[in-house]
Amino acid sequence: LKMLPKRRTAYKFWISDLLNAELTVREDNVRFFKIRDKEVVRINLIAVVISKYENAVANYASLMLDDSSGKIMVKAWDDDVRLITDVNVGDSVLIIARLYRQNSAIFLRPEIIRKTDITWLKARDEELKSIYKEPLAVENFNTVDVDAKKVEPSFVVREKVVNVIGQAKDEAVSVQEIIDATRLNEEDVEKVIEELLREGEIYSPRAGFVKIV
């Protein structure tokens, strides 16, 4: 059977919790955000879209989400823009995303976005109150989409790299093999591998090779 790196849990939080996240790097160089008592890479959020932007060449788009505890940006580049195309201002959405920090701003990179009924937002709020009582307070946060600089390759690119590593099963696979199999450019492949290494989903048993944890 094909093996794939185990996906990190997508934790449920309020937006204000996400805005209070602290970027942390463990001794083994695995990167995550500390939120409450959890080590977080992926999140599961329900919120309302209050603004939307798409550039003229359709290689960047963003959303502003609000769940009444705070506001947070969702940013998508290249192939991932398709996740945002059919979403409109006023929609209630469920989003599975990765948490990122760029300069001083925390934002989300979407993996899945689905429209939901607005009643789901109230239900999620009640669910979170049963776990955490109240959202964390937020003093200052950046909600202006002033920097559309791409931070990582799209998740479509990421999945292609992950699939090649998974097909190797228990064997280490070389970076060059991944480049050849995916037909992606070397820079994008290396960026995805760096991200997977930082998240602890793969490791490097020797120089130039990677393997599933």
Side-chain angles (χ1 to χ4, degrees):
L1 295 176
K2 182 170 69 174
M3 296 178 64
L4 295 176
K6 183 178 179 182
R7 287 188 183 275
R8 295 295 190 94
T9 300
Y11 290 105
K12 298 176 182 179
F13 291 109
W14 285 288
I15 288 175
S16 64
D17 295 333
L18 306 182
L19 298 174
N20 278 283
E22 297 179 8
L23 181 61
T24 305
V25 181
R26 294 197 317 230
E27 290 183 1
D28 58 3
N29 291 321
V30 171
R31 182 186 65 177
F32 62 89
F33 287 87
K34 186 74 175 214
I35 303 179
R36 296 189 185 261
D37 61 344
K38 295 180 172 60
E39 297 181 359
V40 178
V41 174
R42 302 169 72 234
I43 61 92
N44 175 324
L45 175 71
I46 297 178
V48 174
V49 178
I50 61 171
S51 69
K52 177 181 179 179
Y53 169 80
E54 292 181 85
N55 69 4
V57 293
N59 65 358
Y60 174 73
S62 66
L63 302 173
M64 180 73 77
L65 301 184
D66 189 333
D67 69 350
S68 78
S69 77
K71 301 177 180 66
I72 195 166
M73 296 294 307
V74 178
K75 299 184 179 185
W77 289 267
D78 300 332
D79 298 316
D80 295 338
V81 170
R82 62 183 172 78
L83 298 171
I84 287 177
T85 301
D86 294 331
V87 178
N88 299 304
V89 172
D91 287 341
S92 176
V93 295
L94 183 151
I95 176 170
I96 307 296
R98 274 178 154 73
L99 197 59
Y100 278 80
R101 181 187 293 277
Q102 189 175 35
N103 299 324
S104 61
I106 288 179
F107 68 95
L108 303 177
R109 290 200 65 194
E111 295 179 6
I112 298 170
I113 301 180
R114 293 176 181 166
K115 294 182 183 181
T116 68
D117 189 277
I118 192 65
T119 57
W120 286 35
L121 179 60
K122 181 175 176 57
R124 173 61 62 84
D125 185 58
E126 293 300 321
E127 178 185 4
L128 291 173
K129 284 179 178 177
S130 72
I131 301 170
Y132 301 118
K133 306 303 182 185
E134 294 294 337
L136 298 174
V138 178
E139 294 182 3
N140 296 297
F141 53 90
N142 183 3
T143 60
V144 180
D145 192 13
V146 295
D147 191 352
K149 182 180 178 181
K150 184 176 174 181
V151 293
E152 299 287 354
S154 72
F155 284 110
V156 171
V157 171
R158 178 188 171 102
E159 288 302 307
K160 288 180 179 179
V161 173
V162 166
N163 286 337
V164 172
I165 299 172
Q167 288 169 358
K169 299 182 181 179
D170 293 328
E171 300 297 323
V173 58
S174 74
V175 175
Q176 189 58 53
E177 286 179 277
I178 297 171
I179 293 169
D180 293 343
T182 60
R183 298 182 179 179
L184 298 168
N185 69 65
E186 182 177 352
E187 182 181 3
D188 280 352
V189 170
E190 289 180 347
K191 284 183 178 179
V192 170
I193 289 172
E194 287 174 7
E195 183 178 57
L196 292 169
L197 287 168
R198 287 197 304 265
E199 294 176 1
E201 296 189 5
I202 63 174
Y203 72 100
S204 178
R206 59 188 186 276
F209 287 77
V210 292
K211 187 176 181 181
I212 294 172
V213 172

